[in-house]
Amino acid sequence: MSQQINTVIFDLGGVLIDWNPEYLYRKIFVGNEEKMKWFLENICTPEWNMEQDAGRSFDLACKLLIEDHPEYKLEIRAFFDRWEEMIQGEIKDSVLILNRLKNLNKVKLYALTNWSSETFPIAQRKYSCFNQFEGIVVSGEEKTRKPFNKIYEIILERFNLKPENCLFIDDSPDNINKANKLNFNTIHFRNPAQLQKEIEALGLL
């Protein structure tokens, strides 16, 4: 397999960037874990946020949610207004792997991320690991997201890639399953040590 892989495609959030809404809402709910988890499971849900990843504006998203839950207006708005507080920083050991791949120059490096087009530029300016890629496809800019076929097709067409020559790394089982169906080589990311071991087994490090 390693003989045919000439490209590595990284997911960003959860693989290279430590993003989690709990970092912010733990502060908002003053350490009340139960209320924080309830809020993120019932108000600002992952499904709600996925619509921003697919191109919906945060203003519209917050407006719609506040209409249904006016008592949580400030908490809902915080998802965008205090978005940067959801990021702890780079996942350093993952970034070290990315940097090693870059320095070895055996493979081309790209990123395919589910990310709002409104917040992505903030992170891109802040984290130097984004500069290691030859290209980045951002779901919010494309108005579609993983695991829909279209966004995988976009990265392949834009950069003239073939899935059988690509290694796709993501922390979402759904995204990995779809990539497998589309004939990508894949690694389901769980932690940096596991990622390094699997990349080494492919002969890329």
Side-chain angles (χ1 to χ4, degrees):
M1 182 189 294
S2 58
Q3 290 300 106
Q4 67 188 35
I5 294 174
N6 59 27
T7 302
V8 178
I9 301 172
F10 278 84
D11 176 33
L12 296 177
V15 175
L16 294 172
I17 301 296
D18 186 6
W19 176 88
N20 192 328
E22 291 187 4
Y23 295 142
L24 167 62
Y25 284 96
R26 192 167 282 117
K27 290 186 278 186
I28 289 175
F29 291 110
V30 199
N32 186 333
E33 290 283 317
E34 187 176 344
K35 189 164 187 181
M36 175 199 71
K37 288 186 181 298
W38 179 88
F39 180 84
L40 293 174
E41 289 169 2
N42 294 277
I43 309 294
C44 289
T45 64
E47 293 75 20
W48 172 79
N49 188 50
M50 281 180 187
E51 294 301 315
Q52 286 74 270
D53 287 347
R56 181 172 67 180
S57 74
F58 269 103
D59 275 345
L60 176 58
C62 290
K63 177 178 179 290
L64 293 172
L65 209 52
I66 289 167
E67 286 175 0
D68 290 337
H69 306 281
E71 70 276 21
Y72 286 108
K73 179 179 180 179
L74 293 178
E75 291 87 350
I76 292 167
R77 280 298 318 177
F79 203 100
F80 179 65
D81 295 338
R82 297 175 62 180
W83 173 84
E84 285 187 72
E85 294 176 58
M86 298 181 190
I87 294 184
Q88 290 283 76
E90 294 179 341
I91 301 174
K92 290 184 172 56
D93 287 345
S94 291
V95 173
L96 286 174
I97 295 168
L98 172 67
N99 293 342
R100 285 181 64 197
L101 288 169
K102 182 73 171 182
N103 292 335
L104 286 170
N105 200 30
K106 289 183 182 179
V107 294
K108 295 177 181 178
L109 297 170
Y110 295 95
L112 177 60
T113 184
N114 279 357
W115 207 308
S116 161
S117 61
E118 293 175 89
T119 55
F120 181 76
I122 300 168
Q124 190 172 30
R125 287 191 295 269
K126 193 170 183 179
Y127 299 108
S128 60
C129 67
F130 289 34
N131 299 324
Q132 300 287 52
F133 298 107
E134 295 187 36
I136 302 176
V137 171
V138 180
S139 64
E141 296 173 359
E142 307 299 336
K143 303 296 191 287
T144 185
R145 61 171 176 81
K146 296 175 287 186
F148 296 122
N149 285 18
K150 182 62 178 175
I151 199 160
Y152 298 90
E153 293 166 0
I154 287 170
I155 195 168
L156 294 173
E157 292 169 8
R158 184 164 299 164
F159 301 114
N160 194 27
L161 306 174
K162 295 181 179 179
E164 60 269 20
N165 298 138
C166 297
L167 173 63
F168 175 68
I169 301 164
D170 201 295
D171 64 322
S172 162
D174 288 343
N175 297 344
I176 288 291
N177 290 339
K178 177 52 66 73
N180 284 331
K181 290 177 182 176
L182 296 173
N183 208 29
F184 286 81
N185 304 283
T186 62
I187 293 177
H188 178 205
F189 177 87
R190 296 172 181 83
N191 57 67
Q194 164 258 340
L195 176 62
Q196 179 169 323
K197 185 176 180 180
E198 294 198 38
I199 289 179
E200 286 176 347
L202 293 171
L204 301 179
L205 281 178

